[in-house]
Amino acid sequence: MLKASLLSVLILSVSIGLAAVKPGENLLINGAFEAEQLSFPMFWEKGGSNTGYDPTGGPGNTGALVFSNPDGLKGISSNCRQHDQRIIAGETYKMSAYIKTTGFKSRHCGIIVHDNGWHKEHGIRSFPENTDGWQYLEQTFVLQESEGGVYGVAIFAIEYVGEIRFAQVKLEAISEAALAGSSASPMLL
C-alpha cells in the first residue's frame, strides 16, 4: 500500500515537473494589463469605443480594463480579446479575475474561453450590478471541443449600462492533462 502511494506521488511529481505549464501559471499573456507607456495593454485586442484602460485603477494600483457607459446610451458594447490559446478539449481549466462594478447591467457579458466561431463559451458569465470595492470571481470548467482545436479568450459586455472594471485576469490549467498539453500563446514563441 505504501509503495503504491509513493509510486503515485512520484508519477504525479514527475508529470507536473514535465508539464508544459506549472500549476497556477497564467496561460494569458499580460493578464495583469501592464501597458508601460502605451495607451492600451499589449497582447490584447480592443473593441468598442467605450473600452478603456486605467494603468493604476486595479487592486494594488495594477492595471484595469474599463468598460464604461454611465449615461446609459443604448447599444453600447465593449470587448477585449486574445486569440490562439493552446489549450486541450476535455480538460479542466479555471478562469479568474478581480472585478469592480457600478450600476452595471448587460444583456450578455463574460470573461470566457470560446471555441472557433464562438458557438460555445466557458468561464465567468455573471456579474453583480454593484460591488463594494474589488471582488474576486472564478469559474472552473471542462473545455469542450473546438473545430481545428482553435480557442480564444474574450472579456466582453453587450448592450450594457454602468461601469465594470477587470483586473488580474487569469486562465489556469487545472487537470493533469491540461497542465501537460497547454502552453502560453504562440505570440511569445
Side-chain angles (χ1 to χ4, degrees), residues 83-89 93 113-117 143-152 181 186:
H83 304 282
D84 300 323
Q85 299 302 311
R86 293 189 172 185
I87 50 185
I88 309 299
Y93 292 86
V113 173
H114 62 82
D115 67 346
N116 190 10
L143 190 65
Q144 293 184 10
E145 291 284 335
S146 178
E147 184 179 324
V150 176
Y151 296 93

Side-chain angles (χ1 to χ4, degrees), residues 1-48:
M1 178 76 167
L2 181 60
K3 285 183 179 183
S5 295
L6 288 174
L7 182 60
S8 295
V9 169
L10 178 63
I11 290 170
L12 179 61
S13 298
V14 168
S15 65
I16 289 173
L18 298 175
V21 294
K22 303 289 184 224
E25 184 177 339
N26 196 350
L27 296 172
L28 300 175
I29 302 171
N30 195 15
F33 301 123
E34 296 172 355
E36 195 63 41
Q37 301 179 13
L38 299 172
S39 61
F40 201 77
M42 286 181 59
F43 306 110
W44 289 95
E45 180 182 296
K46 173 183 170 182

Side-chain angles (χ1 to χ4, degrees), residues 29-167:
I29 302 171
N30 195 15
F33 301 123
E34 296 172 355
E36 195 63 41
Q37 301 179 13
L38 299 172
S39 61
F40 201 77
M42 286 181 59
F43 306 110
W44 289 95
E45 180 182 296
K46 173 183 170 182
S49 60
N50 289 45
T51 304
Y53 171 67
D54 185 342
T56 58
N61 293 323
T62 59
L65 180 63
V66 182
F67 296 173
S68 185
N69 182 12
D71 299 328
L73 302 174
K74 297 211 181 286
I76 300 297
S77 295
S78 293
N79 69 75
C80 191
R81 299 179 66 183
Q82 271 190 25
H83 304 282
D84 300 323
Q85 299 302 311
R86 293 189 172 185
I87 50 185
I88 309 299
E91 296 307 322
T92 304
Y93 292 86
K94 179 171 68 174
M95 183 70 77
S96 63
Y98 284 89
I99 59 108
K100 186 177 183 180
T101 60
T102 306
F104 179 75
K105 293 180 186 175
S106 176
R107 181 175 65 79
H108 185 53
C109 56
I111 307 169
I112 55 95
V113 173
H114 62 82
D115 67 346
N116 190 10
W118 202 329
H119 303 288
K120 300 173 198 152
E121 61 186 40
H122 305 282
I124 304 167
R125 297 181 292 194
S126 179
F127 303 98
E129 183 175 344
N130 293 290
T131 58
D132 182 21
W134 287 96
Q135 183 175 337
Y136 177 79
L137 299 176
E138 67 178 43
Q139 181 67 48
T140 302
F141 56 92
V142 175
L143 190 65
Q144 293 184 10
E145 291 284 335
S146 178
E147 184 179 324
V150 176
Y151 296 93
V153 168
I155 303 168
F156 70 98
I158 298 171
E159 296 178 8
Y160 70 92
V161 297
E163 182 175 280
I164 186 166
R165 291 173 171 254
F166 306 90

